[in-house]
Amino acid sequence: MTANCSFRDISGRMLIVLLVALAGPLTASAQDFEQYRPQVEQLLADEAVVDIELGQKWRTEEPTEQRPWPDPDVVYLNVGPRADYREGYFVVDETTQQVVGFVGPEPKGPVPMEVMVAEQAIPIAKEFCRRHLAELFAEGGEVAVAADEEVSRYGARMVHLQRVVQGVNMLTLADVGVRVYDGKVVWFRRKHVPLDEGLQLPGEVTLEQARETAAANMPFDNFEPLVWFDEVHEVVSTDEGQHNVWTLWAEIKTRGAKNNRLEYLNRWQIDANTGEVISSEHFKPDRELTLRYMGAGGTHVPPNGPPALPQILADSHPTWSADGAKLFFLSDRQRPGYPNWLQAPPGLFMVGAEGSDLRCLVAEVARSPKLSPDAERILLRERDGLRILSLTGKEELMVPEPQGRGYLYADWLDNETLVADSGSAFGGGELVTIDLTQPKPVPQPSGLTRGTGENFVAFIPMPDGTLYYTFYGHGGGNEWMLMKVNLSTDEPAPEVICDDLKEGRAAQPVGEAKVLLWDDRPSKREAAMWMVDLMTGEVEQWQAPRIPMPGTDGKWLLKPDDVSFSPDGERIAFAAEIRDPAREKDSARLVFICNLDGSDLKQVTAWENPVVPLASD
């Protein structure tokens, strides 16, 4: 085995073009795929394979750009009871009539936190391949093995196995995903293509000679190769048959150019027997190619700059406690049962306003977590009702949805009472209150109802018992209104504070005299925010300060988002993306606090992502 062996990327350097509508079934009858059932059952019978529930119905689909497969001309075969591809599927090559792989279910938290090292996954993958791709280990060759350090979205170490004959990579290979916390095989791709008779290996052309041939065959005049990378001696298939080739990648650039721009990358395939150029293709540097080039030591950058680093974590929606000493926020940070490789759902976290005592209160939150005024309990709006948790994350109470209705919006009226919009999104709703001191709390009508296309949306309870809320309706011209009502009276009479609101999907009090309104949909992150004077009803646009990002000498600015005012209205907490100017670590979305003018900036949450303990532990 030579140093020229390399491994194909399982993420697929070729994306499959979708030939049918997304998620649309193929025209082939489900019965056409019954022939593959014995192969599917044979794989499922292997004790190393993760559990994939086998149903009785087939559902077929071609790969898409969102869910590609490394090899072309395959079909996804879903055999689960719910026809949900996230629960696992098999991959069929109709040309060879073989099941060529499978993808197991995506893991859902909580899962064990242990992570096996790459070396532990290799023997599991090799033994699995001996059972299901014996041709990989046939006499007359060797098996080159490598394992990824990164853990895939399926919670697996990807192990790549390649058959090598006389130092040349064959078309027989396998990729095996071994799950890091239980050693189960959750991803499998197998490919066996027999070697054409008469194909001469290893060939007469050396790597240096192949480079010289490639350099003499540039796609543009006055260009030269600068950085060679991903040089592989391999067998490839073309319409004319198999070829023993050197596959070479290089940066090519205008001869003598002094700028640092990455212009083009080129790939050649040089016949290792004859020196003939089998193919030559140039590419503009996209993200994947640029990262491969930079990983090989390339120093030039694309016209739009180097690829952005991924975001390591995202904190969002900070909220002050009533005493201003703590902040509550949502985050995808690690917590018990949610290791770093798992794409975790948002959890509810708590931290001191100065950044101390970070704890996870709820490992998974549903929608719209709301803190009680005394910050002792948490309200979560879920599919089947409203859930009340203590500050330690322990469930205290569940308020089921009323029959035939749901809770579209809900919040605290006071520490023992909830206020909610009960009804459907299409009308027939009403404003209700829920007394949590009752043994079995049920919604009580307030006397305020709404019509079709109308909603009670953002609730802003004030210390004096007054409830402000935004009202959305299609009739009468203006869609958003800010209302005020005292629900303690026998016949509540809402009062219009402002009937010319610009927005009202989210709101919070600013001291006792103003309310801030904004659109909290993720797609509207850069949208304007509006401040309403509760005494005059006047509306004016409010803009968070732009603050120099620490460590950038004012060249980069933080863009505050999810702004929250302190109880006294003198400071703000916000979330913002922060980047490393040296590009040595990934970006992160963190929580900060500062004065209203942006002064006295403090970073509250840490860039690092260690496991945050649960408050209930």
Side-chain angles (χ1 to χ4, degrees), residues 225-478:
L226 294 184
V227 177
W228 297 96
F229 62 100
D230 280 6
E231 298 168 315
V232 185
H233 196 176
E234 61 183 348
V235 173
V236 298
S237 290
T238 69
D239 293 339
E240 291 75 31
Q242 292 181 358
H243 296 271
N244 169 22
V245 304
W246 286 102
T247 298
L248 312 175
W249 283 86
E251 174 195 6
I252 60 174
K253 191 172 178 63
T254 306
R255 191 179 302 275
K258 302 299 183 183
N259 62 63
N260 69 341
R261 178 176 297 178
L262 177 60
E263 298 183 50
Y264 291 98
L265 300 169
N266 204 84
R267 183 192 65 196
W268 297 267
Q269 289 183 325
I270 311 297
D271 194 298
N273 292 313
T274 67
E276 175 189 359
V277 179
I278 301 298
S279 67
S280 175
E281 189 174 5
H282 65 275
F283 303 86
K284 290 185 177 180
D286 61 14
R287 175 182 171 81
E288 180 185 356
L289 287 176
T290 300
L291 291 174
R292 287 168 56 192
Y293 158 79
M294 294 174 66
T299 58
H300 292 156
V301 296
N304 296 329
L309 294 173
Q311 195 175 79
I312 190 173
L313 59 89
D315 300 333
S316 65
H317 297 89
T319 302
W320 296 82
S321 62
D323 59 5
K326 304 182 186 68
L327 287 168
F328 301 85
F329 63 98
L330 301 180
S331 181
D332 59 1
R333 290 176 178 269
Q334 290 189 85
R335 68 216 77 150
Y338 296 86
N340 199 32
W341 56 261
L342 182 64
Q343 187 174 358
L348 182 63
F349 292 75
M350 179 181 69
V351 66
E354 299 300 321
S356 61
D357 194 25
L358 175 63
R359 290 184 289 164
C360 178
L361 301 179
V362 186
E364 289 188 39
V365 299
R367 295 173 293 175
S368 307
K370 303 289 186 181
L371 292 165
S372 60
D374 59 9
E376 292 296 329
R377 292 192 287 181
I378 305 157
L379 166 64
L380 299 177
R381 183 164 56 91
E382 301 188 340
R383 287 186 178 182
D384 53 354
L386 303 175
R387 186 158 59 115
I388 312 298
L389 304 179
S390 70
L391 196 61
T392 61
K394 182 180 179 181
E395 180 171 316
E396 288 190 352
L397 188 64
M398 184 71 186
V399 182
E401 289 185 339
Q403 187 173 5
R405 293 189 175 187
Y407 295 116
L408 300 182
Y409 303 92
D411 207 334
W412 297 88
L413 187 60
D414 55 45
N415 289 319
E416 301 294 346
T417 312
L418 303 181
V419 59
D421 183 347
S422 174
S424 74
F426 305 100
E430 61 181 341
L431 196 67
V432 299
T433 59
I434 304 169
D435 185 353
L436 300 181
T437 64
Q438 298 298 314
K440 292 184 178 180
V442 294
Q444 298 296 324
S446 69
L448 302 180
T449 61
R450 57 176 173 81
T452 302
E454 298 176 340
N455 291 103
F456 302 102
V457 184
F459 303 112
I460 313 109
M462 303 301 280
D464 64 359
T466 302
L467 175 68
Y468 290 88
Y469 62 90
T470 56
F471 187 77
Y472 179 80
H474 289 296
N478 295 318

Side-chain angles (χ1 to χ4, degrees), residues 572-589:
I572 58 172
F574 61 89
E577 184 178 25
I578 186 169
R579 301 178 184 178
D580 178 12
R583 299 182 60 80
E584 295 177 351
K585 55 183 178 181
D586 299 339
S587 66
R589 187 172 163 80

Side-chain angles (χ1 to χ4, degrees), residues 15 35 49 105 119 143 162 204 217 289 313 402 423 475 527 545 580 583:
L15 291 179
Q35 61 179 309
V49 175
E119 288 74 14
V143 178
Q162 179 91 52
E204 301 297 326
N217 289 269
L289 287 176
L313 59 89
D580 178 12
R583 299 182 60 80

Side-chain angles (χ1 to χ4, degrees), residues 314-319 327 329-330 525-526 544 546 558-564 572-578 588-593 605:
D315 300 333
S316 65
H317 297 89
T319 302
L327 287 168
F329 63 98
L330 301 180
R525 181 160 284 168
E526 300 294 331
R546 290 293 189 260
L558 294 175
K559 295 182 179 179
D561 189 24
D562 299 336
V563 177
S564 174
I572 58 172
F574 61 89
E577 184 178 25
I578 186 169
R589 187 172 163 80
L590 306 176
V591 174
F592 299 82
I593 60 175
T605 55

Side-chain angles (χ1 to χ4, degrees), residues 51 156 164 184 195 198 315 337 340-341 449 479 491 500 516 523 533 547 568 606:
D51 291 337
V164 181
K184 291 289 188 179
L195 186 67
D315 300 333
N340 199 32
W341 56 261
T449 61
E479 294 186 331
E491 296 182 3
D500 190 24
L516 185 68
S523 61
D533 189 307
I547 307 168
D568 60 10

